[in-house]
Amino acid sequence: MNSGIISTGVKGLDIILKGGLIRGHTYLIAGSAGCGKTIFSVQWLIDGIQKGEKCLFVSLAEPAEQLSKNVQSFGWDVSKIKIIDLSPSPNPEMIEEYHVLTPMEVEPMQTWHSIYEAIEKEQPQRLVVDSVTFMSYLSTDLFQFRKQLLAFVNYLKTKSCTTFLIYEPEEMNKDASLPLTVDGVIMLRKVLSESKVLEIRTLEIQKLRGRGYFSGLHPFRITSSGIVIYPHIIENMVTPDLPESKISSGIEGLDELLHGGIEVSTITLLSGPTGVGKSSLGTQFAISAVKGGKKVTYYSFEETPEFIIRRAVGMGQDITSCIKKGMLMIKHINPLELFPDELLGIIKSDVADGVSVLILDSIRGYNIAMEQFGNMDAHVQNMVNYLKSAGVTAFFINELEYITSTEVRLTELGISYIVDNALLLRFAENKGRIIRIIGCIKKRLGTFEPEVRELIMDKKGIWVGERLPQFSIFTGNITAS
């Protein structure tokens, strides 16, 4: 690792920074009250302590005792961090009164002197000043504050001390000179989603001298172990060498329809109205993939693993043995619980563990879960780019709103263009009996039979019958002879 680059200790941040921060640089940590600036800074200092570095925290607003209590819940030992408490005294008797000079003429110089004195004494390698906003309030005028701060930043460079200066964004908007003074600006935000359902915290690198970084808003959480960031990285689609192999459905009639099955490293859409059997068909592809030696993860937004297993067992699908072998994992994703980039991180982790096939059930559930975080199409496209580059075979289950319709669409979310294959499942009425029908609409890398067949599901399993030339897959109605 480059000796001039230091890690941050904040999970996910070093990825965004493409390695870390430059040693000896000064960074502005901006964010409104409650964004997590202090937690972020202390977590960075803890990382320094763990690496044997001297760390100094200068507190101008919060008493040292209170600071220690506030981070206690994270299990951090701050005893090795030197904390200089320059916060106002809680004792009214100790508050000084000035008769010749005004407080604004005396206190700023005293505070600056105390900070310089502490740095000279401790010789820290990592320093946090919380907060510079307080210093600006004490200064006689804006010009003096700028002058003092610039001198301070230049002084820190001579000490090779990497520094975090905490600042309020409102003050930064009033004075653009401060961001120009420092080497980097990291903005923390906390906002409500558009529908006022979720509180969303994000981190943005607004400036970084001497290093590249991933731009954009990166969501983060404050967890029991500190801040965890989920980098939002735009995935470049790099198409790998496509093998000739296919994943069989394990259903003779369906494999005939698909001319052998679904090509590996492609994205398949299983689309149809509620109750038509999309999830069961997805489970069938998962079981068949496991039998072919592939490791599979089933991500469900709507049903728990217990429900999926019970339904599969009731249909005679051999799902239990696949799970016991560790070749099939079912993960329930609670809507509104994960960020899109957090889910993509989970998928990447599973792929790193050997997963080569995944089922996403369903796209509508994904939309409900992720629409709070921006444009869903962009997040799905980013996920598809990664899956294709990683050579993963994916099945996306999509629910159509209408059971029957003369204007059928593969999806009602406008994402059909990103998939390679599409199977459409519909209900139809045949001589007073409701039946299921299935047809292949799209297959980019292979051929298929352009016909409608009956889809049968019972306790013995899933079957695909003979061709039904009299039915339309698009309406479910009997066509004119």
Side-chain angles (χ1 to χ4, degrees):
M1 181 179 288
N2 190 336
S3 60
I5 304 300
I6 62 173
S7 64
T8 61
V10 179
K11 187 176 181 181
L13 182 56
D14 289 345
I15 296 174
I16 298 169
L17 297 172
K18 297 186 177 181
L21 299 170
I22 297 179
R23 191 180 302 278
H25 277 198
T26 300
Y27 300 91
L28 197 68
I29 311 301
S32 57
C35 279
K37 301 185 297 296
T38 301
I39 296 171
F40 180 84
S41 301
V42 173
Q43 190 168 343
W44 175 67
L45 292 181
I46 290 293
D47 180 71
I49 291 295
Q50 292 172 348
K51 291 178 170 57
E53 299 179 5
K54 285 187 176 182
C55 296
L56 175 63
F57 189 101
V58 178
S59 180
L60 298 170
E62 189 175 31
E65 183 180 350
Q66 186 62 43
L67 173 66
S68 299
K69 288 181 179 179
N70 289 344
V71 299
Q72 198 173 35
S73 61
F74 299 108
W76 297 337
D77 180 10
V78 298
S79 61
K80 293 183 180 180
I81 298 176
K82 182 63 178 180
I83 301 176
I84 304 298
D85 188 353
L86 299 179
S87 63
S89 171
N91 188 349
E93 296 178 1
M94 296 181 64
I95 298 177
E96 299 182 57
E97 294 184 4
Y98 304 96
H99 302 284
V100 178
L101 300 173
T102 66
M104 294 182 68
E105 294 174 302
V106 178
E107 291 190 20
M109 295 312 301
Q110 287 182 344
T111 304
W112 280 115
H113 176 75
S114 297
I115 295 174
Y116 280 108
E117 186 177 53
I119 294 172
E120 287 295 331
K121 180 181 178 181
E122 301 298 331
Q123 294 294 314
Q125 291 157 290
R126 299 194 187 194
L127 167 68
V128 173
V129 179
D130 186 4
S131 72
V132 178
T133 306
F134 186 77
M135 296 297 297
S136 67
Y137 293 158
L138 290 176
S139 297
T140 54
D141 57 59
L142 188 58
F143 174 76
Q144 289 298 324
F145 172 66
R146 290 174 180 171
K147 184 178 178 181
Q148 291 163 344
L149 189 62
L150 181 59
F152 182 57
V153 172
N154 290 336
Y155 163 77
L156 291 171
K157 290 179 180 178
T158 66
K159 295 293 181 180
S160 297
C161 178
T162 314
T163 305
F164 279 4
L165 303 178
I166 297 179
Y167 204 53
E168 298 294 325
E170 292 79 8
E171 297 300 319
M172 190 170 71
N173 293 335
K174 294 177 184 177
D175 180 18
S177 64
L178 183 55
L180 297 175
T181 304
V182 297
D183 300 298
V185 178
I186 300 175
M187 177 69 74
L188 305 183
R189 293 186 177 90
K190 181 181 70 170
V191 298
L192 286 176
S193 62
E194 288 187 10
S195 59
K196 311 300 181 186
V197 172
L198 293 175
E199 179 182 81
I200 302 174
R201 297 176 185 268
T202 58
L203 175 144
E204 179 189 11
I205 309 297
Q206 294 189 340
K207 173 184 177 181
L208 198 66
R209 281 182 185 153
R211 297 283 292 173
Y213 60 91
F214 289 106
S215 60
L217 299 180
H218 306 277
F220 72 88
R221 296 186 190 280
I222 299 178
T223 70
S224 59
S225 58
I227 288 177
V228 176
I229 305 174
Y230 305 96
H232 178 62
I233 299 173
I234 303 301
E235 301 289 341
N236 294 319
M237 187 185 296
V238 180
T239 305
D241 293 334
L242 296 173
E244 297 294 332
S245 58
K246 298 179 180 180
I247 294 179
S248 165
S249 67
I251 305 170
E252 184 179 354
L254 184 55
D255 286 343
E256 288 178 4
L257 186 69
L258 298 173
H259 288 184
I262 295 294
E263 286 74 13
V264 299
S265 304
T266 60
I267 311 296
T268 300
L269 187 71
L270 306 178
S271 193
T274 182
V276 79
K278 304 180 300 298
S279 297
S280 294
L281 187 58
T283 302
Q284 180 63 34
F285 272 108
I287 293 171
S288 182
V290 168
K291 290 180 179 179
K294 300 183 184 300
K295 195 172 182 180
V296 183
T297 300
Y298 191 118
Y299 303 95
S300 173
F301 285 88
E302 297 157 10
E303 299 173 334
T304 63
E306 294 78 13
F307 194 96
I308 294 170
I309 293 170
R310 182 174 178 178
R311 180 181 60 219
V313 170
M315 293 183 60
Q317 293 177 311
D318 186 20
I319 192 172
T320 307
S321 64
C322 296
I323 295 173
K324 287 182 178 179
K325 292 175 184 176
M327 296 296 287
L328 173 59
M329 296 178 293
I330 303 176
K331 296 186 177 182
H332 180 233
I333 308 298
N334 187 21
L336 309 180
E337 191 176 59
L338 297 181
F339 297 117
D341 297 299
E342 189 176 0
L343 175 61
L344 184 55
I346 293 173
I347 292 174
K348 288 180 178 180
S349 178
D350 287 343
V351 172
D353 287 339
V355 169
S356 60
V357 178
L358 68 83
I359 315 293
L360 188 69
D361 188 1
S362 67
I363 288 295
R364 183 174 290 276
Y366 180 91
N367 180 41
I368 293 172
M370 304 304 173
E371 66 181 352
Q372 306 297 324
F373 309 104
N375 186 287
M376 193 206 72
D377 291 1
H379 289 303
V380 172
Q381 180 69 71
N382 204 41
M383 177 171 59
V384 167
N385 287 351
Y386 166 74
L387 294 174
K388 288 191 173 183
S389 299
V392 175
T393 307
F395 294 86
F396 291 172
I397 294 173
N398 175 69
E399 180 179 324
L400 296 177
E401 185 174 351
Y402 300 104
I403 293 178
T404 61
S405 174
T406 56
E407 296 181 1
V408 66
R409 290 179 288 178
L410 278 177
T411 79
E412 288 151 356
L413 302 172
I415 60 168
S416 56
Y417 69 97
I418 66 175
V419 300
D420 302 302
N421 316 303
L423 295 178
L424 184 59
L425 289 71
R426 301 299 303 272
F427 286 111
E429 183 181 352
N430 185 23
K431 298 178 181 179
R433 186 173 64 93
I434 297 175
I435 64 171
R436 298 177 175 91
I437 56 177
I438 186 171
C440 182
I441 306 299
K442 176 182 181 183
K443 204 161 181 270
R444 273 190 181 141
L445 298 182
T447 59
F448 62 94
E449 294 297 327
E451 58 190 29
V452 179
R453 296 197 179 193
E454 184 175 3
L455 179 65
I456 304 165
M457 296 184 178
D458 56 29
K459 62 182 180 180
K460 296 180 181 179
I462 303 176
W463 315 85
V464 172
E466 297 297 320
R467 180 184 175 201
L468 298 175
Q470 71 273 31
F471 285 97
S472 167
I473 189 67
F474 302 107
T475 64
N477 296 329
I478 297 177
T479 58
S481 57

